[in-house]
Amino acid sequence: MAVVVAQAFNSVDGLLGHLDDEDDDVIEASLQSLVDLIPYHWAEIADQLTKIEELSEDDEFAHSKLASLLASKIFFHIQSYEDSLNHALCAGDLFNVSDPSDYTKKLTEQCIDSYRNYMQTEYRNKEEKLSMVKSKKDDDDSDEDDSEDEDANMRDNGLNINSENKIDPRKIKIVEQVFEYCYQTRDFKQAIGIAIECRRLDRVQQAIELSDDKEEMLIHCFNLCQTVITSRTFRDELLRLIVKLFGDTNDANYNTICRCYFYLDDTRPISDILWQLINSDASSDKNNRKELTAYQIAFDLTEYQNDAFLRGIFNSIPRPPYSQLYPDRVKQQQAASQPSAASTEQAADIGATSLNDNDANDAPKSSEDKPSTDYNDEVSKYWDDELLTKWQRLKSILLGETIIPKYLDFLFRNSHSDLLILKKIKDGISERNSVLNNSLICCNGIMHCGTTIDQFLRDNLEWMGRAAHWCKFTATSSVGMIHNKHLSESMNILQRYLPGSGGGPYQEGGALYALGLIHVGDNSDKTCDEIRTYLLKHLKQASNEILQHGSCLGLGLAALGYGTQSGGAQVMLEKDEDDDDDDDDDEEEDEAPEEPPTAQGPDAALNEDNIGPSASEILTEIRNILFQEEPPTAQGPDAALNEDNIGPSASEILTEIRNILFQDRAVPGEGAGLSLGLILCGSGNKQWYEEMLAYAHETQHEKIIRGLVMGIAIIFYNLQEQASYAINTLINDKDETIRYGGCYTIGMAYAATGNTLAIAKLLHLAVSDVSNDVRRAAVTNIGFVLCNKPEQVPKVVQLLANSYNQHVRYGAAAALGIACAGTGNNAALKILKVLAKDKVDYVRQASLISLGMVLMQQNKVESPEVEEIRNVYLQGTCTDKREPTMCQMGAILGCGIIDAAGRNVTISLYNKYNNCKRQYAIIGMAIFWQYWYWYPLIPFITLCFKPTMIMSLNKDLKMIQINVESREKNKDRFNYVENLKEEKKDKKKKAIKVELSVAAKTKQRKQKKEKEKEQKEKDEDEESGDVDMEDKDKKDEDKDKEDDKDKDNKKKEDGDDKDKMEVDDESKEEKKSDDDSEKKEPEFNLLQNPSRVTPNQVSYIQWTDKRYKPLTLRLSGFVMVEDTKPSEETQFVEQKEISAGGVYGDEPKPPKPFLYLGQ
């Protein structure tokens, strides 16, 4: 209609003239017409803006709202959006949010933005108030009743906590109209996005409940929690809402729910879900789908690298009876407790009440305390062999007993490391340069990390033996890099280096460090008990600084994350609250419903001395959640047999490390500070933070201060705004080393979040701090904050890479390597190639290391520049003696990183397919860059490596023979980089002959004479050509006659076999056709199980097998498959025994036994 009106009016002067009319109806009609015509005549109407504003402000004018709407549109067209919004708010209901015009969209966006800023500010103020109240309560030790009243009052006040910000209620009304409009148009995702930005959980819930596909909306919200929401507090609230709304779930929801509980740091519900899946009836579990789902969830949770959390999940799952777990031990204990001839009756009573040796005081004195045999039979009947097998498989996944051997098998099976590169570097560097030789040792360890192939070390034992002092320490620790995760043979491998071998403190300290590198990230019983106990024993006994340093680092790695509360072991400096916790547990037991039976008897809950929740509490909670009868469980008759607390406690380890710290010696003090952070990573323990910071102010050793502040940074890993009080304290400190740690605290707390406030703080420190070290650290940590968005990092650091300050340029190179590792990002490569030619040697060093990180697992198809960077920038710089030592060191480390673990791993700080950040990888990368001060920290980079593979497993956790297709026309994309070719030494160099000018002239004359002779001979041959042709024809005729005679004789001989020859010809033709079909290559690459699949190649992988169906859409890592045809025979992939092959590298097997005759 507006178009018709516009065509009828070429000018609006007449309508504008009616605005001065005395009749309100005339003015209304003209205003309505002007509103319709304003997109075409806004410039002409704007001349009467003053008159229109007067009408809008006239309270007596009945149509003032219409005048306000017209004024709002005029201001919109002259791009005065604030005035436009104010008049639109005065227009009231005439402003229609459902209008699809640009005018409406712009003003609604402004309303939403202002409302969003207001709500986020109010929510932030609420968080700060609550945190202040809680901290004040902790500091003042106020009464619990008073604190609860204060918290209740804070919650009742809601968002109106001393609010200074105010917002126009009319804006809120428009936002509410936007929500209603989204509901009407069924655009629920937009409504959810606006509600999340405005911190409106009620609107999120309403949108989910109104949607047709509730599950899709919940999964959409969960993805937003992982990628968009920066506030951890609000994220946790939204996750609780998601879990609440999921309600009754099916198989597709279990994985999402468990990941929600992971972010909420709650192990109990995950244990309940896993138990429900493996304890399902076989009749209702078609093709064992529920069991496979439990295993797939367990594999996905291991991606987060939080072993303490995984141990907490396992501790909350019901356990089978002790007699079924350890039948051999039970038989031995029963045999040892058989009655003797002297006291048969008394011993019989004792043997009937226990399965192992208990103290006399613990033995029951009456027959009423004896568990009945019927009850034990009930326990054994419930835990049948099938359920026990499922429980053991789940345990093996959660504690790494399945994953680690399969990783070793994959790395050893597919190793493509190039020893010629190491040989070329070794021959090209000086033997007297200890820095370069030490770098080469680390390069070898990185290149063969986890492959257990130590051939280079065995071939160069004499060269290795020349290492001295700290080079010897690092060389010994490199053995732990090569045999990373080789848990079963760790003590045998390091036996000749460990304390007591007589190799000196550097060798023995390095061996303890290597032991921690082998067992880092492992949560098995052996690591928790034997290795931690062994390292703690040597830490107590060590008096030498080198041994103390190695023990601290090794123990910190072996107990990484052991002190976090999520694993069930609460680490406190004081244990005054234990008695109160026990009283609370007793009260909960009184209120709980009837307990399910346990193998210890009905009264076992009263005798448990275990740390954390008792077994009866666990079972009762599971039964209440699942509403079904739970099995009897057993942890053994003796509390000492409980597997929840294997090995030394976290408090014992931390106390001993603190004793080393208080000795105030520089080298072991630095290791102690790092070790404290590793054990308490992600815990946010305030008491330990305050004590470590206080000692950092007291000590005079810079190394100790640096170790402590790095430990503090690791303690606040992933805590985001909860670490704000520590961050503000650290970055405002007078000591530059403590401010340096504050930068890393920001990077660790906001790692992989992309938080804009964190980046703003780091950029401010990078350009304003007076210390070069702080500037370098600030720019470096931008890479940690943005490692989930690597494509944005080159844009952020591009200007910093051109800074006049060389330390800022170094940080820019490091940030690019951290965030863009393994991506082959072209923008990052462009910046790094410029920095690799910088005038400052250590800037070039960082750029060369980062080039190796960015181009990991990249071939010439994926990245055409890889050959130039490998040959010129890395290998060329290594052997160029004109280069500074720092540049050569960076190039050597870059060569090892680019070919890490036989070219089968990548540096993965953030998994974009699971949207999860890998805890150990981020911590390891942060400590690796401390090599600037301390070279022995280089091996920490092995924590960042992740095998890039796809491995399909069945319900027995065995590799099946199956292929997947790579839908990529260029098959070379999946190829490994070609190895160097060894030059043959037999080739002799051509000797350069020196000729006199006289000899050269005579030689030319001879050549001319020879050419003239040849030309004459050719001319003579042409003249006599006709005669020769006649002679040749005669000879050919005679040969033809002889051939005809021979053919006749052959025909007579072969006449009888004519039919046979025809049959043979037919069969040959069939064979040829079959051979041709076999020779035809498939259209796509077929990747066998297991196979290497890099992150850039995952998008090309497609599942084509019809028998086996994957239980996850993520075709990388461990994939559980459902066998749709279980009756058919299954073919497996044989898993190699690493202990027989990997330890000894490529050495031949020993010969068969023979009899030596002495001849």
Side-chain angles (χ1 to χ4, degrees), residues 547-563:
L547 285 176
Q548 289 178 342
H549 185 68
S551 299
C552 286
L553 292 177
L555 190 56
L557 289 167
L560 181 57
Y562 185 41

Side-chain angles (χ1 to χ4, degrees), residues 335-356:
S337 62
Q338 284 183 355
S340 60
S343 57
T344 306
E345 296 180 356
Q346 182 181 1
D349 292 338
I350 297 175
T353 58
S354 63
L355 295 177
N356 73 332

Side-chain angles (χ1 to χ4, degrees), residues 545-577:
E545 293 186 6
I546 298 95
L547 285 176
Q548 289 178 342
H549 185 68
S551 299
C552 286
L553 292 177
L555 190 56
L557 289 167
L560 181 57
Y562 185 41
T564 58
Q565 296 183 2
S566 60
Q570 297 186 359
V571 181
M572 303 292 290
L573 291 176
E574 298 178 359
K575 297 184 178 180
D576 297 336
E577 299 178 0

Side-chain angles (χ1 to χ4, degrees), residues 94-107:
L94 294 180
F95 180 77
N96 186 10
V97 296
S98 61
D99 183 15
S101 63
D102 294 338
Y103 161 75
T104 306
K105 291 180 181 178
K106 179 65 178 177
L107 295 189

Side-chain angles (χ1 to χ4, degrees), residues 22 57 206 240 257 479 484 537 756 838 896 915 948 1107:
E22 296 179 357
E57 295 172 359
Q206 188 177 3
R240 293 188 185 95
I257 292 175
V479 178
N484 185 26
K537 181 187 72 173
T756 54
D838 197 274
N915 290 323
T948 53
R1107 176 181 175 183

Side-chain angles (χ1 to χ4, degrees), residues 655-688:
T655 302
E656 192 61 35
I657 295 175
R658 183 174 57 177
N659 295 337
I660 299 296
L661 178 66
F662 287 164
Q663 294 179 7
D664 201 37
R665 293 192 286 184
V667 174
E670 182 182 21
L674 288 172
S675 184
L676 290 174
L678 292 172
I679 297 172
L680 294 168
C681 69
S683 66
N685 193 301
K686 189 175 182 180
Q687 293 178 342
W688 278 105

Side-chain angles (χ1 to χ4, degrees), residues 136-149:
K136 185 178 180 181
K137 180 183 66 174
D138 295 338
D139 296 339
D140 300 340
D141 293 328
S142 60
D143 296 334
E144 294 182 1
D145 297 336
D146 297 338
S147 63
E148 289 178 359
D149 294 340

